[in-house]
Amino acid sequence: MRAVQFTEYGPAGVLHLTEIEAPHAGPGEVRIAVRASGVSPGEVRVRSGSLRDVVPVAFPYRTGFDAAGVVDEVGDGVTGATAGDEVFGMTASTRRGANADYAVLTAWAPKPAAWSWAEAGGAAGAVETSTRVLDLLKVGAGNTVLVQGAAGGVGTTAVQMAAARGATVIGTASEHNHDFLRSLGAEPTTYGTGLPGRVRALAPAGVDAVFDCAEGALPDLIAIAGDPARVVTIADFSAASHGVHMSHGAPADETGAAVGAAADPLAVHGLGIAVELAGQGRLRMPVAAAFTLGEAAAAHGLSETRHARGKIVLLN
């Protein structure tokens, strides 16, 4: 089968499509014929080598950890899934390899009828991450939450899932994305200098929690929340030095001491929540762009601009 991988750090051009042996579903797993898979900003940084001291990897490194497709192999002990089912889900964090013709999923849910393959292909990672962080922050009805970097792949999902919990959501993004954020249920503002004052004007009673999907603004985010314990980041590796928790689900041997925190349990229950919300028309998965597997380098290049609105996906 075809799979996207890289064998050295470097620019997007180090990615290549290669032929490898297809994986098989083990106990508690399903294999899917992939229709679409996600491109992870974190993996883009891993590929560049900028995280080599934090997230060491073994080569060859196969990319992709969320995908959608049709079940074609069911492992021992699996119930509720049969060949032919349309699903979306995640690979094991130690395996990855979802940017391929076939992928083995360890967590999955039925593909919502309202989502295209492209929308479903990049959904699972954003849904799990959003659920995990919103749970850690105990976001619920009546809370006010700030999502920093709200127009990206995780940010757009976090905004909608927080709003579905009954929270008031403020989201930061470039001004040209403000109408888009309003359509998702957030009150938008710009990021950068003066952010605490702008947020204070939107939420005079204060902010209960901050979900950081970007990086480089932790001092301002702590000032907005009033306590580093009310801030969780998924992107800023300086978190520990600010007393902020960095949430990740990667195995300890792949993250290094620089992360400053052990992996959090994956919030795979979020996949079922997403299916329910999608069926109610309350969760959509904006797709910034779709590429073929052979165009993985172009997909990584777009991700590196940090201007993609929503998820970047690869189509089979």
Side-chain angles (χ1 to χ4, degrees), residues 17 35 50 63 68 109 112 124 130 134 155 168 223 229 231 257 265 290 297 308:
L17 196 58
R35 297 289 183 268
S50 66
T63 62
S130 296
L134 293 174
T168 297
V231 180

Side-chain angles (χ1 to χ4, degrees), residues 33-76:
V34 177
R35 297 289 183 268
S37 57
V39 172
S40 161
E43 284 193 328
V44 169
R45 295 175 70 187
V46 169
R47 186 224 73 232
S48 73
S50 66
L51 300 181
R52 69 180 71 195
D53 295 329
V54 181
V55 187
V57 302
F59 299 123
Y61 184 101
R62 290 183 52 207
T63 62
F65 62 82
D66 51 5
V70 180
V71 175
D72 80 331
E73 192 174 275
V74 178
D76 291 342

Side-chain angles (χ1 to χ4, degrees), residues 12 17 25 32 46 52 55 72 86 105 107 142 144 190-191 241 246 261 278 294:
L17 196 58
I32 61 171
V46 169
R52 69 180 71 195
V55 187
D72 80 331
E86 296 183 350
L105 305 183
T144 297
T190 53
Y191 46 76
S241 66
M246 181 174 187

